[in-house]
Amino acid sequence: MKKLKIASIPGDGIGKEVVPAATDVLKTIAEIHGGLSFEFKEFPWSCEYYLEHGHMMPEDGMDRLKDFDSIFLGAVGNLQLVPDHISLWGLLIKIRREFEQQINIRPAKVMKGVRSPLANPKDFDLIVVRENSEGEYSSVGGNIYSGEDEIAIQNAVFSRKATEKAMRYAFELAAKRKRHVTSATKSNGITFSMPFWDSVFKEVAKDYPDIQHDSQHIDALSAFFVTRPERFDVIVASNLFGDILTDLGAAIMGSIGIAPAANINVNGKYPSMFEPVHGSAPDIVGKGTANPIGQIWTAKLMLDHFGEEELGGVLLDVVESVTNDGILTPDIGGNSTTNEVTAEVIKRLKEVDRKGK
């Protein structure tokens, strides 16, 4: 029996609605598998927790998390309660940085039954590998002077080690897919970090002669995401570029509510963290209409991470059978509730299991 200990952090807003939904799906998966079990421990860390305690997690929060096999996160942030720079850096980014989750992966594909805003999406199926620990989001810089003389300085930090790690991860991933890697760059405008990025990419590509590769400037690449997304397989990008591209990837799928993500620790020292791309969506909290697919697809990425890729594939196929039959939440043109979509996924998983037996 493979027993997996999962730290569950529903967080804020609809995270408290979609995490329980996806947890029920994972429990069903475990029942079907027979040799797999999940032990979930929920942590109430959120903006409400901050208001009560003065911090997003307790001082020993990271120690509490480090012995879990993975972290299953819902959403972080509620501007009505806590500024984003406090909530994100006190929980989400704190976990990413201190647990050395240097790789962020976010797939995007045409999902059956979900209408893409693109006139002709041509069955695109891509995945963005985002360097997750430094780059433009490095907390290096500061402010000097005041009034009309005030100056803000933000330094982007690119290390060879982290840059190369993200690129090698992208090439290894492409070897399992369509064998093509695209590098997102902007070396015609950013004169130090991006030429460095390009140089490392060329060096890494030499070690993968069987994988095709190219580089695209981020502005043109963003346009190609809209006009020709089917041309891409794996895209490797810096922290900022990857963040922007993956929201665009979610948009061309039809809704940010269906987009998954994984924050991967590649050295095995700490747990990886799995979270959907969407935020806490305070405007729909409590209405029962939050789309659970982003969290469920995120659960699929977690299954893949644990070597259960076949199970993950079954789960995504079942989700697409549900969407293809028009069982959709309002954000993707339907009138089903969170619970109705989740119940249908669970029902069909059990049907697949019966057929398999």
Side-chain angles (χ1 to χ4, degrees), residues 146-215:
S146 60
E148 65 178 14
D149 294 321
E150 186 173 9
I151 298 173
I153 299 171
Q154 178 73 50
N155 293 324
V157 177
F158 287 77
S159 69
R160 178 174 292 274
K161 183 182 291 185
T163 300
E164 183 173 327
K165 189 171 293 184
M167 291 171 176
R168 290 195 181 279
Y169 193 97
F171 275 94
E172 296 290 342
L173 188 58
K176 303 175 185 177
R177 291 172 48 93
K178 294 178 286 187
R179 307 183 74 79
H180 190 281
V181 177
T182 298
S183 168
T185 185
K186 190 56 182 170
S187 50
N188 62 347
I190 302 176
T191 55
F192 295 109
S193 61
M194 285 293 104
F196 170 78
W197 175 277
D198 292 349
S199 174
V200 176
F201 184 70
K202 289 178 182 178
E203 290 177 21
V204 171
K206 292 176 183 177
D207 292 336
Y208 299 89
D210 297 331
I211 307 294
Q212 293 183 303
H213 64 277
D214 67 337
S215 292

Side-chain angles (χ1 to χ4, degrees), residues 340-352:
E340 286 169 346
V341 172
T342 305
E344 190 63 27
V345 170
I346 290 173
K347 173 188 170 186
R348 296 191 187 197
L349 279 171
K350 292 179 177 178
E351 289 172 354
V352 169

Side-chain angles (χ1 to χ4, degrees), residues 12 14 19 48 75 99 122 218 220 228 235 269 285 307 321 332:
D12 295 298
I14 63 169
V19 167
E48 291 175 352
F99 280 170
K122 295 183 181 178
I218 186 63
R228 295 179 60 193
I235 300 99
K269 290 170 58 179
V285 170
S321 76
I332 46 177

Side-chain angles (χ1 to χ4, degrees), residues 64-77:
R64 295 192 200 182
L65 294 176
K66 67 182 176 60
D67 292 326
F68 284 88
D69 293 305
S70 76
I71 301 163
F72 200 45
L73 179 71
V76 177

Side-chain angles (χ1 to χ4, degrees), residues 251-269:
I252 63 175
M253 280 199 291
S255 170
I256 201 168
I258 62 178
N263 301 283
I264 304 297
N265 170 276
V266 294
N267 60 28
K269 290 170 58 179

Side-chain angles (χ1 to χ4, degrees), residues 4-8 39-43 45 61-71 99 269-272 306:
L4 299 171
K5 292 173 57 182
I6 311 298
S8 173
E39 178 186 331
F40 292 92
K41 180 173 177 57
E42 184 171 312
F43 295 89
W45 305 335
M62 299 301 289
D63 283 334
R64 295 192 200 182
L65 294 176
K66 67 182 176 60
D67 292 326
F68 284 88
D69 293 305
S70 76
I71 301 163
F99 280 170
K269 290 170 58 179
Y270 303 105
S272 296
F306 289 129

Side-chain angles (χ1 to χ4, degrees), residues 1-3 26-38 303 306-312 349 353 357:
M1 174 73 73
K2 182 190 289 188
K3 297 181 179 180
L26 282 169
K27 289 177 179 177
T28 303
I29 285 281
E31 292 172 10
I32 291 171
H33 186 282
L36 176 68
S37 70
F38 294 100
L303 288 169
F306 289 129
E308 300 293 343
E309 294 183 351
E310 184 176 348
L311 269 180
L349 279 171
D353 182 41
K357 291 178 178 176

Side-chain angles (χ1 to χ4, degrees), residues 91-243:
L91 186 58
L92 174 66
I93 298 177
K94 181 178 178 67
I95 294 172
R96 285 180 179 175
R97 295 291 170 90
E98 294 189 24
F99 280 170
E100 300 176 16
Q101 295 167 351
Q102 294 181 307
I103 306 294
N104 179 273
I105 58 172
R106 296 181 177 182
K109 67 187 291 292
V110 172
M111 182 166 280
K112 295 176 182 177
V114 178
R115 186 173 180 271
S116 167
L118 301 180
N120 187 6
K122 295 183 181 178
D123 290 330
F124 67 84
D125 182 352
L126 58 88
I127 187 163
V128 176
V129 174
R130 169 187 171 192
E131 197 292 311
N132 205 35
S133 64
E134 51 182 41
E136 303 89 349
Y137 290 176
S138 302
S139 53
V140 179
N143 294 70
I144 57 174
Y145 311 133
S146 60
E148 65 178 14
D149 294 321
E150 186 173 9
I151 298 173
I153 299 171
Q154 178 73 50
N155 293 324
V157 177
F158 287 77
S159 69
R160 178 174 292 274
K161 183 182 291 185
T163 300
E164 183 173 327
K165 189 171 293 184
M167 291 171 176
R168 290 195 181 279
Y169 193 97
F171 275 94
E172 296 290 342
L173 188 58
K176 303 175 185 177
R177 291 172 48 93
K178 294 178 286 187
R179 307 183 74 79
H180 190 281
V181 177
T182 298
S183 168
T185 185
K186 190 56 182 170
S187 50
N188 62 347
I190 302 176
T191 55
F192 295 109
S193 61
M194 285 293 104
F196 170 78
W197 175 277
D198 292 349
S199 174
V200 176
F201 184 70
K202 289 178 182 178
E203 290 177 21
V204 171
K206 292 176 183 177
D207 292 336
Y208 299 89
D210 297 331
I211 307 294
Q212 293 183 303
H213 64 277
D214 67 337
S215 292
Q216 297 285 338
H217 292 303
I218 186 63
D219 43 357
L221 181 53
S222 299
F224 286 137
F225 256 47
V226 175
T227 58
R228 295 179 60 193
E230 76 283 355
R231 68 176 287 186
F232 298 108
D233 179 21
V234 177
I235 300 99
V236 63
S238 67
N239 215 334
L240 174 63
F241 292 173
D243 194 6

